[in-house]
Amino acid sequence: MTVRGGTTGSRAAAEVFREGWAMLRVDGPRAARITADTAAVLSLVSMVAGWWEGPVAVALFALVLLGQTVVRLAPLRASAQAATAALLLAAAWAALVGAYQLIGWLDLAMHLIVTGLLAALAASVVLRRGWLTTEDGSGADALQGARAGRILLTTGTGSLLAVLWEAGEWFGHTYLDPAIQVGYEDTIGDLTAGVLGAALAGVFLGRLVQRAGDA
């Protein structure tokens, strides 16, 4: 009886693992799958290695891992999933090694690209889940077909993410590590780059979101 119970439990655990992997698997070109999987593994290794750097590094890479998970669940094309996963990891490492202080334009570039991709992710979830559908069932389909609506949704979502990003930087600078770069010019520049990136993501949202029937 014990053996049977153990076997049943193992099968159940294996089935849960298979279902979980199916949900998190990146479906698409081999290069995109390899990039996304490599970024996930390196994020996990980075979080473990972060214990030697301190709690800030651990928290940073824990957020990156959370982002990697969300990216895999979002209805984005495989190439967009892979790019977002890789850039989240790169942005975290750039902050950890002080690359933003050494390369002046890197901070703005990261805010533009990463915020844009995250805005596309959020907008794709809103549209795919039908959260904008009205009580009579209209709204979501009309918005999906209206390019201006997609741009406004993505830009607005990205603007909120840009504000939350800056709030997180202020919190980290104030309560965790004074080395985190903040300041009026830095904040305004980051917000501007983030909003611009979100607007661009809205323009190209149709190319970033996975359509029904896509591989």
Side-chain angles (χ1 to χ4, degrees):
M1 177 65 74
T2 303
V3 175
R4 287 183 179 179
T7 302
T8 302
S10 299
R11 289 177 178 175
E15 183 63 25
V16 170
F17 176 81
R18 283 194 295 270
E19 291 180 359
W21 177 247
M23 291 177 59
L24 295 175
R25 184 178 60 235
V26 173
D27 292 321
R30 185 168 182 267
R33 297 199 307 270
I34 292 175
T35 299
D37 291 344
T38 300
V41 172
L42 291 178
S43 296
L44 180 60
V45 172
S46 298
M47 188 179 71
V48 174
W51 286 104
W52 281 268
E53 181 68 23
V56 173
V58 175
L60 179 62
F61 288 111
L63 285 174
V64 171
L65 273 175
L66 176 61
Q68 303 265 1
T69 303
V70 173
V71 165
R72 287 169 175 268
L73 294 172
L76 295 175
R77 292 183 185 271
S79 56
Q81 290 177 317
T84 306
L87 284 169
L88 286 174
L89 178 62
W93 268 108
L96 194 64
V97 302
Y100 296 127
Q101 288 75 27
L102 298 175
I103 306 173
W105 54 265
L106 183 60
D107 186 37
L108 292 178
M110 282 294 186
H111 276 273
L112 187 146
I113 300 173
V114 175
T115 303
L117 288 171
L118 292 178
L121 184 157
S124 70
V125 172
V126 171
L127 292 172
R128 185 62 59 88
R129 299 292 295 179
W131 290 340
L132 296 181
T133 304
T134 58
E135 292 182 359
D136 61 0
S138 64
D141 292 338
L143 182 57
Q144 288 175 352
R147 191 182 188 194
R150 295 199 304 267
I151 294 173
L152 287 173
L153 172 64
T154 311
T155 303
T157 304
S159 298
L160 175 60
L161 291 173
V163 171
L164 293 176
W165 189 335
E166 292 307 301
E169 287 188 354
W170 171 85
F171 180 88
H173 171 83
T174 305
Y175 297 104
L176 300 177
D177 187 356
I180 297 176
Q181 186 176 357
V182 295
Y184 180 78
E185 292 184 0
D186 176 75
T187 299
I188 293 299
D190 291 348
L191 287 174
T192 302
V195 173
L196 177 59
L200 290 173
V203 172
F204 297 103
L205 187 62
R207 299 184 180 182
L208 297 173
V209 176
Q210 185 182 44
R211 298 179 183 275
D214 284 348

